[in-house]
Amino acid sequence: MRVLVGGGTGFIGTALTQLLKARGHKVTLVSRQPGPGRITWSELIRSGLPLCDVVINLAGENILNPLRRWNEAFQKEVLTSRLDTTHLLANAITNATHPPQAWILVTGVAYYQPSLTEEYDEDSPGGDFDFFSNLVTKWEAAARLPGESTRQVVVRSGVVLGRGGGAISHMLLPFRLGLGGPIGSGHQFFPWIHIGDLAGILTHALEADHVQGVLNGVAPASTTTNAEFAQALGAALGRPAFIPVPSTVVQAVFGRERATMLLEGQKVVPRRTLATGYQYSFPELGAALKDVVA
């Protein structure tokens, strides 16, 4: 298939592109910079959607970038980087002479309200209680297409674990030094997924015609708490992991509102993802972390 990937130059996009090419698909990236195998966002606006079978959007500013202060300007960037690219691609699909067979958007499990007791599947309510849940609601709304000529899939991703990027890149140094540990109370759930499985779910969604609607992009062992995750990461590295990171430190680094993403969590299960027939390569945390830190 000919696959157009918005924002495909980052951590997830690189893994997805490698998998798609290995499976014989032809990939074109939409990015800010021109280059071989790419078109720019301005070209997309000017010339419309190139001929393709599937469109996937991964574009969006990294919310948990510790180098960026959580202020109004950055919040706006986080919002527009997701909504504008999604609107652009959705409009290009709507106006295309030959619309693609499938349109896939990656959003986040921040749609579901943090809780120490609730369990969320793809049909659970959410999306209206804080900045991040509202962001996911607007983001998914921006992707909706009129009519049914193009199959639509939304993958709500958990924390993506993989080599060379993502959340784990910020955690490895303190853990390697034996200074790692749970964040805050450690009781909060930590919905995670190995990058190979996120790329796998997206590839499954574009190849399998019966897949549509919302899929939770989390591992089946998503009942992991933050403390259990810290312990498993320490074990994978052969290091102790008992030094907690106090909530006040997390709030100082990320800002109070953004810190809730780390200090509170959701128990998310991939009920529909499993029902579609997707088979996980890394369903268990221990094996996933061993692969990541190898």
Side-chain angles (χ1 to χ4, degrees):
M1 290 186 185
R2 295 158 299 185
V3 185
L4 186 73
V5 183
T9 56
F11 174 55
I12 297 166
T14 303
L16 177 62
T17 299
Q18 286 171 353
L19 179 59
L20 290 174
K21 286 181 174 175
R23 292 183 68 82
H25 301 297
K26 186 176 185 297
V27 181
T28 303
L29 305 180
V30 192
S31 69
R32 291 184 206 134
Q33 304 299 324
R38 297 185 189 187
I39 65 168
T40 62
W41 292 101
S42 45
E43 279 178 77
L44 182 76
I45 295 166
R46 199 166 53 245
S47 309
L49 195 73
L51 202 58
C52 58
D53 302 298
V54 179
V55 179
I56 300 174
N57 194 24
L58 304 172
E61 186 66 38
N62 176 12
I63 291 174
L64 288 174
N65 181 350
L67 304 176
R68 297 294 302 272
R69 275 188 61 238
W70 188 244
N71 54 25
E72 206 174 315
F74 185 50
Q75 287 176 28
K76 192 176 177 190
E77 222 174 294
V78 161
L79 201 65
T80 57
S81 65
R82 286 161 173 74
L83 301 191
D84 290 0
T85 56
T86 303
H87 270 303
L88 264 177
L89 287 166
N91 286 340
I93 292 167
T94 303
N95 296 325
T97 316
H98 302 286
Q101 297 162 27
W103 161 223
I104 303 168
L105 177 70
V106 178
T107 64
V109 294
Y111 176 82
Y112 308 109
Q113 188 158 10
S115 170
L116 294 174
T117 54
E118 287 295 315
E119 180 175 281
Y120 300 108
D121 66 16
E122 290 87 348
D123 293 322
S124 299
D128 61 356
F129 53 87
D130 66 1
F131 175 87
F132 302 105
S133 63
N134 279 306
L135 165 62
V136 177
T137 300
K138 288 174 185 165
W139 197 0
E140 293 179 4
R144 276 186 210 112
L145 305 175
E148 294 182 4
S149 58
T150 297
R151 189 165 53 85
Q152 298 176 61
V153 182
V154 169
V155 178
R156 292 182 184 144
S157 172
V159 177
V160 184
L161 308 178
R163 273 178 244 177
I168 206 119
S169 61
H170 301 301
M171 300 178 198
L172 280 180
L173 182 61
F175 273 87
R176 283 192 199 282
L177 295 172
L179 301 173
I183 295 172
S185 71
H187 298 315
Q188 70 273 32
F189 287 106
F190 188 85
W192 61 273
I193 186 165
H194 188 284
I195 192 163
D197 278 319
L198 183 57
I201 290 168
L202 293 170
T203 303
H204 173 64
L206 72 88
E207 290 177 346
D209 290 342
H210 68 280
V211 178
Q212 58 185 343
V214 175
L215 303 180
N216 282 333
V218 296
S222 53
T223 53
T224 309
T225 65
N226 186 274
E228 287 164 349
F229 176 83
Q231 208 170 1
L233 180 53
L237 291 165
R239 296 285 187 276
F242 302 114
I243 301 173
V245 181
S247 307
T248 48
V249 172
V250 180
Q251 288 168 348
V253 173
F254 290 102
R256 188 174 290 274
E257 189 172 39
R258 192 167 44 157
T260 60
M261 295 188 80
L262 299 169
L263 297 171
E264 300 177 17
Q266 306 90 339
K267 183 180 181 182
V268 182
V269 294
R271 185 184 55 78
R272 193 178 291 146
T273 307
L274 289 165
T276 66
Y278 179 71
Q279 296 189 339
Y280 283 79
S281 300
F282 295 97
E284 298 296 332
L285 183 60
L289 287 172
K290 273 183 191 152
D291 178 77
V292 169
V293 303

